């Protein structure tokens, strides 16, 4: 991973999308990444999230979602948790 100082990173991501009626779509996501820093020292990142999209009209959509991410490592003071809530309005033809 050149964006992480050339750490070797293994990751897996998965998602499930469910159509709820004609106009609403729900999404669930989960992911895990492990970056090998040095022998016996790794950065472990767990991600999960959900989203909901509503196609109000052909040209108008509303989206909302929640994401959670946790980083854990063997390094003191590097661990963190992030909670993100997002909403968007799409207009277009």
């Amino acid at each position: 991973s050149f964006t992480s100082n050339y750490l070797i990173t293994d990751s897996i991501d998965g998602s499930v999308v469910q159509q709820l009626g004609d106009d609403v779509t729900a999404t669930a996501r989960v992911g895990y990444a492990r970056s090998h820093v040095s022998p016996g020292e790794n950065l472990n990142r767990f991600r999960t999230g959900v989203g909901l999209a509503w196609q109000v009209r052909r040209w108008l959509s509303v989206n909302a979602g929640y994401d959670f991410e946790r980083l854990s490592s063997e390094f003191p003071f590097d661990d963190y948790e992030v909670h993100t809530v997002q909403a968007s309005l799409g207009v277009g033809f």
Side-chain angles (χ1 to χ4, degrees):
S1 172
F2 69 89
T3 59
S4 300
N5 297 324
Y6 297 95
L7 296 175
I8 296 173
T9 301
D10 302 313
S11 65
I12 186 166
D13 294 295
S15 64
V16 174
V17 178
Q18 177 66 46
Q19 190 72 33
L20 307 172
D22 293 335
D23 302 331
V24 179
T25 304
T27 306
R29 301 172 294 280
V30 66
Y32 174 77
R34 180 180 192 139
S35 299
H36 309 282
V37 180
S38 63
E41 295 178 335
N42 299 300
L43 300 176
N44 299 296
R45 181 174 287 123
F46 172 73
R47 300 174 302 275
T48 188
V50 293
L52 198 59
W54 177 28
Q55 192 70 41
V56 181
R57 300 277 186 260
R58 192 171 60 112
W59 53 270
L60 178 65
S61 64
V62 176
N63 299 291
Y66 168 78
D67 290 311
F68 171 77
E69 181 174 333
R70 173 184 288 152
L71 177 81
S72 61
S73 68
E74 287 84 11
F75 304 103
F77 309 112
D78 283 349
D79 297 353
Y80 64 81
E81 290 184 358
V82 177
H83 301 268
T84 307
V85 176
Q86 65 267 352
S88 66
L89 180 67
V91 178
F93 297 96

